[in-house]
Amino acid sequence: MVMLFSWTFYRSFWALPVLGIWGLRRFQREQERLKEQDRQELDRQFQECILSVAAGLKAGYSIENAFRESEKDMVVLFGRKSVIVGELQEIYGGMENNISLEKLIRDLSKRRDSNYIREFAEILTVAGKTGGNLVEIIGNTAEVFQGRMAAKAEIQDVLSGKKLEGNIMKVIPFFLMAYVQLDNPGYFDPLYHNTFGVLLMTACLGVYLLSLHLIERIMNIPIS
């Protein structure tokens, strides 16, 4: 993107060092976006895990054994190499070392920075201390999580079409410039390699980057 901007707006690679600062920040934001995407996928998989655990509790398993049995369902749903299966195996290893399930899930929520898992860890801890009906509590929690995830998926479906439109809008200026340049070679030459052209194209680049930022802010609505 930095090379594309440098060539499109300045017809020179001397702008690379300056635009590289923006590119670095852009790279960091993309890493954050991918991390958030991974967290949301873990939340979705963990929600399915809790549904499986609730079913195991109703079948008469203890909470620890219900988590162990849930791995089979997770392998079927998401594959043996999925994130949730790996995390469940970490939990099993911790339980074999006499670490409480509550602590293991709480550690998982901190490691993955997941509000869903953190809430479940708190519910599990309170249920253990108060001696409540664990089957009913986990079942209700699973239903609440399922409802929230369904609402979240519905919102994502509504936004998916708008995100596609936004992505198209991002690339349209470059296609228009490429079309004009191919149809009328030299049409944009007066805008390059002179003071007025550099200032004008810098203003255009600023407007484009602002538009890019606004599109992403609108489309990437945080859903908790």
Side-chain angles (χ1 to χ4, degrees), residues 46-217:
F46 186 77
Q47 177 243 323
E48 295 292 344
C49 177
I50 297 306
L51 290 174
S52 177
V53 169
L57 289 171
K58 290 179 181 179
Y61 290 110
S62 66
I63 183 67
E64 291 81 8
N65 288 332
F67 264 94
R68 287 191 174 92
E69 289 298 316
S70 69
E71 180 184 4
K72 299 175 183 177
D73 294 334
M74 298 305 100
V75 170
V76 172
L77 287 173
F78 305 112
R80 190 166 296 279
K81 294 183 179 180
S82 61
V83 178
I84 188 63
V85 171
E87 294 295 348
L88 285 174
Q89 291 174 349
E90 288 284 336
I91 290 174
Y92 306 153
M95 287 192 294
E96 289 178 356
N97 291 321
N98 297 321
I99 302 175
S100 68
L101 178 61
E102 292 88 346
K103 184 180 186 307
L104 290 168
I105 295 179
R106 190 163 55 250
D107 291 344
L108 171 60
S109 70
K110 294 177 181 178
R111 186 168 63 253
R112 292 289 183 171
D113 192 25
S114 169
N115 289 330
Y116 277 91
I117 301 177
R118 186 178 299 112
E119 288 177 13
F120 181 77
E122 292 173 356
I123 291 170
L124 198 60
T125 300
V126 171
K129 289 180 178 179
T130 59
N133 187 333
L134 196 58
V135 176
E136 183 178 352
I137 291 173
I138 300 298
N140 291 338
T141 302
E143 290 179 4
V144 171
F145 280 5
Q146 188 176 29
R148 288 168 61 181
M149 294 298 289
K152 190 173 182 179
E154 186 175 346
I155 295 173
Q156 292 288 4
D157 288 341
V158 172
L159 289 177
S160 60
K162 298 299 180 182
K163 288 182 178 181
L164 177 60
E165 294 175 8
N167 289 331
I168 293 173
M169 291 172 63
K170 293 176 187 178
V171 300
I172 281 178
F174 298 99
F175 280 109
L176 288 176
M177 291 185 70
Y179 174 77
V180 173
Q181 181 67 26
L182 290 173
D183 192 54
N184 298 281
Y187 183 84
F188 292 115
D189 288 353
L191 297 176
Y192 301 110
H193 308 298
N194 60 79
T195 302
F196 174 76
V198 169
L199 293 176
L200 179 61
M201 295 304 282
T202 299
C204 292
L205 176 60
V207 170
Y208 176 79
L209 292 179
L210 177 61
S211 302
L212 192 69
H213 176 70
L214 291 176
I215 289 174
E216 293 178 347
R217 284 287 300 271

